[in-house]
Amino acid sequence: MSRLTGPNIQLNELGQLHHFLTIEGLKQQHLIEILDTAESFINPNTQEIKKVPILRGKTIMNLFFEPSTRTRTTFEIAEKRLSAQVESLDIETSAAKKGESLLDTLWNLQAMQTDMFVIRHAQSGAAQFFSQHVAPHVHVLNAGDGQHAHPTQAMLDMFTIRKHKGSVFDLKVAIVGDVLHSRVVRSQIQALSILEAREIRVVGPKTLMPESPEAMGIHVYHDMEEGIKDVDVIIMVRLQNERMTSALIPSEKEFFKLYGLTKERLALAKPDAIVMHPGPINRGVEISSEVADGPQSVILEQVTYGIAVRMAVMSIIMSNAAQLKQHRAEQASLDLDEPHTLNAMEEANS
Ligand code: NCD
């Protein structure tokens, strides 16, 4: 049976998501499907009976090789709300600490009849690597790989924007902080441009800006006041100190002075602008407490929506797998029918 085909290795032969590794290369319809499906999962967040049986009988393995608070917990909650059997490997006490390789770990966990892996790893490309080594029926979801991508975070951010602004289309969005090292920002920029935001700005010191912004379709600002002027959405990101190989900013205090989001600066954006942050926030470094806890902040809403969006991605992937199975069964029966059709045609012509 053929494995994944096409230029985007996360898509199946019907062009649907089989894995979820990156936003890059996806079509607007893929993103809209996730956002619309997430909408249908918003109610379970507030209802008393939160569970739906979509993933009953499926086993999901969460593999977090890097620290996580929001992503790991909301994935686990989403999986449980979809009625899956959920396992989260504690890497610190696993045999990975005895030198077992990543692939051996993967194959052993797959032998436990895992249907889906959710993986976070410090190495860029780790999720894709996993996806190339799992069995064809197993799905891989990227929960953050190095500096590369964090697709479910970008989708929950798009969902939050849509909730507040109606749509992403035509908005002006400023992303402020350590753009260079952020997998979240990379995925956000891709999602914003697929959903046709009017203007995507990145704001920060030269040392933390990407190398070829033109190719990414973004505008770079080194002046915070100019960068956030008249925008609809401000996304703040943390300094990713663990990914910096040398000192790229003078000090955290200096950074706050130049790029910290304060109430005074926020007043330069549109009056109804929303303030977002994927977390973890560092108060007094990239954002003041007054703004983080203020009326324009939607930071904790992002966390809540993370559950619905992750439920959406997992249920779409499982429903795609069922559709693919049916498509292949139909193809196989067509192949079987073919000789009869040919015979019938020959008889009719003779
Ligand atoms: C981010 C991550 O881990 O990439 N956090 C998250 O998933 N919500 C952002 C960060 O660590 O700064």
Side-chain angles (χ1 to χ4, degrees):
M1 200 166 277
S2 70
R3 289 178 75 92
L4 296 179
T5 54
N8 197 328
I9 67 135
Q10 62 191 336
L11 303 181
N12 66 22
E13 64 212 49
L14 299 177
Q16 304 166 320
L17 283 175
H18 178 79
H19 304 297
F20 194 36
L21 308 174
T22 175
I23 301 288
E24 194 177 2
L26 293 183
K27 296 199 164 68
Q28 200 175 81
Q29 79 198 46
H30 293 119
L31 273 53
I32 300 287
E33 186 185 12
I34 295 172
L35 298 176
D36 289 349
T37 309
E39 203 71 55
S40 71
F41 289 124
I42 284 297
N43 281 344
N45 284 345
T46 50
Q47 276 169 7
E48 197 128 304
I49 302 163
K50 299 188 172 81
K51 270 197 167 180
V52 285
I54 295 174
L55 294 190
R56 191 155 50 203
K58 302 289 179 194
T59 301
I60 306 189
M61 192 71 71
N62 300 303
L63 293 178
F64 281 71
F65 291 89
E66 262 194 348
S68 174
T69 298
R70 281 150 290 271
T71 306
R72 177 171 168 165
T73 316
T74 51
F75 257 116
E76 285 180 8
I77 294 172
E79 292 155 5
K80 287 174 186 164
R81 287 192 188 168
L82 292 171
S83 307
Q85 183 187 346
V86 179
E87 301 298 331
S88 299
L89 186 71
D90 182 356
I91 304 295
E92 285 307 308
T93 56
S94 77
K97 294 283 153 190
K98 298 180 187 168
E100 190 166 30
S101 78
L102 199 55
L103 276 183
D104 281 321
T105 306
L106 172 71
W107 287 326
N108 278 272
L109 296 172
Q110 183 172 275
M112 299 170 198
Q113 297 172 323
T114 299
D115 299 287
M116 190 182 276
F117 285 100
V118 175
I119 172 172
R120 165 170 289 193
H121 200 281
Q123 197 70 40
S124 296
Q128 178 169 334
F129 176 75
F130 253 47
S131 74
Q132 287 164 329
H133 291 90
V134 291
H137 69 281
V138 174
H139 309 273
V140 177
L141 272 66
N142 185 3
D145 62 326
Q147 302 181 23
H148 174 241
H150 195 348
T152 57
Q153 177 69 45
M155 289 315 298
L156 75 88
D157 295 332
M158 297 308 114
F159 188 82
T160 309
I161 293 176
R162 203 172 79 155
K163 273 286 187 207
H164 282 269
K165 300 288 167 193
S167 130
V168 172
F169 176 74
D170 231 15
L171 296 180
K172 283 190 196 174
V173 180
I175 305 174
V176 185
D178 185 358
V179 171
L180 180 65
H181 299 100
S182 174
R183 56 193 174 205
V184 173
V185 173
R186 212 171 303 277
S187 290
Q188 283 170 338
I189 290 172
Q190 289 158 355
L192 286 166
S193 68
I194 293 169
L195 294 173
E196 298 178 59
R198 172 145 48 128
E199 202 181 319
I200 308 169
R201 305 176 182 178
V202 292
V203 187
K206 276 198 183 72
T207 47
L208 298 179
M209 292 292 106
E211 265 162 33
S212 45
E214 311 77 28
M216 299 165 83
I218 55 179
H219 305 274
V220 175
Y221 289 77
H222 299 302
D223 181 275
M224 174 73 164
E225 275 84 15
E226 249 181 72
I228 62 171
K229 194 161 185 287
D230 291 330
V231 296
D232 302 280
V233 178
I234 302 176
I235 302 176
M236 301 302 300
V237 288
R238 148 188 98 84
L239 294 169
Q240 311 262 310
N241 291 313
E242 72 276 26
R243 302 192 205 291
M244 294 184 196
T245 45
S246 57
L248 296 175
I249 53 154
S251 72
E252 290 186 342
K253 218 167 140 196
E254 185 71 8
F255 185 83
F256 186 73
K257 226 163 87 191
L258 290 171
Y259 296 104
L261 187 60
T262 57
K263 206 175 150 200
E264 294 69 36
R265 284 188 172 138
L266 178 56
L268 298 168
K270 287 204 180 137
D272 61 350
I274 53 169
V275 175
M276 301 174 65
H277 196 311
I281 64 173
N282 287 311
R283 293 168 185 264
V285 180
E286 73 273 4
I287 191 165
S288 72
S289 281
E290 205 179 9
V291 173
D293 307 327
Q296 285 167 268
S297 166
V298 297
I299 296 172
L300 293 178
E301 261 178 70
Q302 290 173 260
V303 179
T304 307
Y305 291 146
I307 300 171
V309 168
R310 291 180 169 120
M311 286 173 84
V313 171
M314 290 187 282
S315 61
I316 288 170
I317 284 179
M318 280 305 173
S319 129
N320 291 346
Q323 281 177 42
L324 183 65
K325 210 167 155 185
Q326 194 181 343
H327 169 79
R328 283 176 176 166
E330 281 166 12
Q331 288 298 114
S333 78
L334 274 182
D335 290 347
L336 281 178
D337 284 348
E338 222 166 87
H340 303 293
T341 320
L342 280 179
N343 286 345
M345 279 168 68
E346 272 164 21
E347 270 168 32
N349 286 338
S350 65

